[in-house]
Amino acid sequence: MTGAAALEPGNESLTLIEKLVGFDTTSHKPNLELIEFVRDYLSDLSVDSVLVEDETRNKANLFATAGPEGEAGILLSGHTDVVTVKGQDWHSDPFRVTRREDRLHGRGTADMKSFIAVILALLPEFLKRGLKTPLHLALSYDEEIGCVGVRRLLDHHISGLEVKPMACIVGEPTEMKVVTSHKGKRSWRCHARGHECHSALAPSGVNAVEVAAELVTHLRRTSRRFQDEGPFDPAFDPPHTTVHTGTIAGGTVLNIVPRDCTFDYEIRHLPGEDAGAIQAELEAFAGDCLLPTMHAVDQEAGFRFEETSDFPGLNTPTDAAVTEIAKTLSGANATSKASFGTEAGLFSRAGIPAVVCGPGSIQQAHRPNEFITLEQVSLCEAFMRRLADRICQP
Ligand SMILES: [Zn+2]
């Protein structure tokens, strides 16, 4: 467990949590008001921000650096969006922090505005002491709908930095435990194209539904193989890579051999596994076992695969510098693995070693009456103060 901390967090943190939760930044909605608030807050502390907007200019990522320029530094990262409250039974206004005993209720209190609030609240302390190592802040939009913003932030800004941050801590709710590993996920849509004809003449057509079903069955076999043979990592639940088909649609009426069929599938893989190899296996099966007979009827028949999402897994070594740093700051003596995905995998893939460590519980994330305990906020403050001890002037 993490070390002892005062139960009552500072007023600055509490005020900023209230402020940030007050912006309705449900994914899909603009987040500019929140981003502009943070930019102005930083500007008042003489810290400049770079905004990386989306195409609509209704949303933006923010990147800011405090302390000396041209050095690697530590990056703290969080997303500004929250999941919808629609259809959930809230006992109070989700966009107004409501304190009940030692809990702060509100959308985003756990996932993950409290982390951002605590950083902002304690930043003046860092600046007053004087940073000898840079402290970077990265805030993204639309994490909850596919890590959309952070990809743009990485591509349009961070990848161009002369010196990249040497370590990234993503403050998703882990109850301040240090998470070094999570599964990755990739998904595809397959379009099967057959050859239409009257069903009485079925052998002279190519049945798109049936060839699609053969691929789905192949995926099912692959899934079974992972379940039976592994590889296994008991830190994950389930402890192996999973493959699953989620939707399928094809055909028009019963007496026509269907020309088109589309299905969606995903691979949630152990961080060390290569989802691309599983996809290549599927495409090889399609090419070797199905295409020749399809082409014998119609050269236009075939399959088209469209990748619909790509979230790299996270697999940061337990002895990596970033892990050591996060362990020291959180007071944790162990690391763990998470069942949920985060932006950390994308930072890691971009060459910035990353771990996940933030206040609040993932059990609360996305739920009605989401909350964070005051103790978690205090622990995050303690984390930040240890970071100040490490990267500020003595
Ligand atoms: Zn989150």
Side-chain angles (χ1 to χ4, degrees), residues 106-167:
R107 174 55 91 225
T109 47
D111 184 15
M112 52 182 292
K113 288 177 169 174
S114 295
F115 177 72
I116 299 170
V118 170
I119 299 170
L120 296 177
L122 296 198
L123 189 59
E125 289 184 24
F126 284 75
L127 296 167
K128 205 167 144 200
R129 290 174 66 170
L131 285 146
K132 54 183 181 85
T133 303
L135 181 64
H136 309 282
L137 175 63
L139 303 182
S140 66
Y141 63 84
D142 286 357
E143 185 268 353
E144 299 285 7
I145 52 173
C147 297
V148 176
V150 73
R151 294 173 201 264
R152 205 170 161 90
L153 179 61
L154 282 163
D155 291 350
H156 290 245
H157 185 67
I158 297 177
S159 65
L161 291 175
E162 238 165 77
V163 188
K164 277 188 194 163
M166 55 86 64

Side-chain angles (χ1 to χ4, degrees), residues 47-234:
V47 174
D48 292 334
S49 305
V50 173
L51 302 196
V52 177
E53 295 170 319
D54 74 343
E55 295 89 348
T56 68
R57 310 192 77 182
N58 284 320
K59 297 178 187 189
N61 302 291
L62 179 147
F63 189 90
T65 300
E69 278 175 38
E71 284 178 55
I74 309 277
L75 170 61
L76 302 177
S77 168
H79 61 81
T80 60
D81 60 316
V82 294
V83 296
T84 184
V85 297
K86 248 190 220 154
Q88 295 188 334
D89 183 18
W90 281 77
H91 299 155
S92 54
D93 181 350
F95 299 105
R96 238 176 100 173
V97 170
T98 305
R99 184 169 171 170
R100 290 198 281 275
E101 294 177 359
D102 68 333
R103 294 174 174 182
L104 304 175
H105 292 267
R107 174 55 91 225
T109 47
D111 184 15
M112 52 182 292
K113 288 177 169 174
S114 295
F115 177 72
I116 299 170
V118 170
I119 299 170
L120 296 177
L122 296 198
L123 189 59
E125 289 184 24
F126 284 75
L127 296 167
K128 205 167 144 200
R129 290 174 66 170
L131 285 146
K132 54 183 181 85
T133 303
L135 181 64
H136 309 282
L137 175 63
L139 303 182
S140 66
Y141 63 84
D142 286 357
E143 185 268 353
E144 299 285 7
I145 52 173
C147 297
V148 176
V150 73
R151 294 173 201 264
R152 205 170 161 90
L153 179 61
L154 282 163
D155 291 350
H156 290 245
H157 185 67
I158 297 177
S159 65
L161 291 175
E162 238 165 77
V163 188
K164 277 188 194 163
M166 55 86 64
C168 172
I169 296 166
V170 176
E172 289 280 352
T174 64
E175 297 174 275
M176 299 311 292
K177 293 183 184 116
V178 179
V179 168
T180 56
S181 186
H182 59 67
K183 283 185 180 178
K185 182 187 116 175
R186 285 176 79 179
S187 60
W188 284 266
R189 172 163 290 175
C190 173
H191 304 264
R193 172 154 180 180
H195 183 89
E196 204 170 61
C197 69
H198 194 293
S199 62
L201 306 170
S204 59
V206 175
N207 189 315
V209 168
E210 290 177 2
V211 291
E214 300 233 32
L215 292 192
V216 172
T217 306
H218 176 88
L219 289 168
R220 174 85 186 124
R221 274 198 301 273
T222 308
S223 167
R224 179 72 60 154
R225 189 180 77 217
F226 282 110
Q227 198 173 337
D228 292 344
E229 300 168 20
F232 299 106
D233 183 340

Side-chain angles (χ1 to χ4, degrees), residues 167-394:
C168 172
I169 296 166
V170 176
E172 289 280 352
T174 64
E175 297 174 275
M176 299 311 292
K177 293 183 184 116
V178 179
V179 168
T180 56
S181 186
H182 59 67
K183 283 185 180 178
K185 182 187 116 175
R186 285 176 79 179
S187 60
W188 284 266
R189 172 163 290 175
C190 173
H191 304 264
R193 172 154 180 180
H195 183 89
E196 204 170 61
C197 69
H198 194 293
S199 62
L201 306 170
S204 59
V206 175
N207 189 315
V209 168
E210 290 177 2
V211 291
E214 300 233 32
L215 292 192
V216 172
T217 306
H218 176 88
L219 289 168
R220 174 85 186 124
R221 274 198 301 273
T222 308
S223 167
R224 179 72 60 154
R225 189 180 77 217
F226 282 110
Q227 198 173 337
D228 292 344
E229 300 168 20
F232 299 106
D233 183 340
F236 292 107
D237 180 22
H240 49 80
T241 295
T242 57
V243 183
H244 132 109
T245 304
T247 68
I248 186 162
T252 48
V253 290
L254 183 58
N255 60 2
I256 295 177
V257 169
R259 196 192 72 163
D260 295 293
C261 185
T262 302
F263 63 96
D264 294 300
Y265 58 100
E266 66 169 31
I267 300 166
R268 290 179 185 259
H269 61 92
L270 294 182
E273 285 281 311
D274 178 11
I278 301 169
Q279 172 64 11
E281 205 183 289
L282 178 73
E283 291 186 29
F285 171 77
D288 297 344
C289 303
L290 304 175
L291 270 184
T293 44
M294 293 163 72
H295 280 166
V297 174
D298 184 348
Q299 278 296 324
E300 302 276 291
F303 301 101
R304 188 162 57 80
F305 296 94
E306 175 195 345
E307 184 162 16
T308 46
S309 73
D310 171 19
F311 302 92
L314 181 68
N315 204 14
T316 301
T318 48
D319 60 355
V322 62
T323 313
E324 294 296 336
I325 293 170
K327 277 168 71 181
T328 309
L329 301 182
S330 68
N333 43 27
T335 60
S336 54
K337 304 186 179 191
S339 54
F340 55 96
T342 72
E343 296 176 335
L346 287 158
F347 282 105
S348 180
R349 184 163 75 181
I352 303 169
V355 295
V356 188
C357 180
S361 164
I362 194 69
Q363 304 292 342
Q364 293 308 320
H366 302 191
R367 291 176 59 86
N369 305 304
E370 175 180 348
F371 68 83
I372 191 164
T373 63
L374 296 174
E375 185 191 25
Q376 284 292 314
V377 179
S378 296
L379 288 172
C380 187
E381 289 182 334
F383 178 98
M384 286 295 291
R385 293 210 163 93
R386 285 188 209 110
L387 177 61
D389 289 341
R390 191 178 174 111
I391 66 174
C392 293
Q393 308 290 347

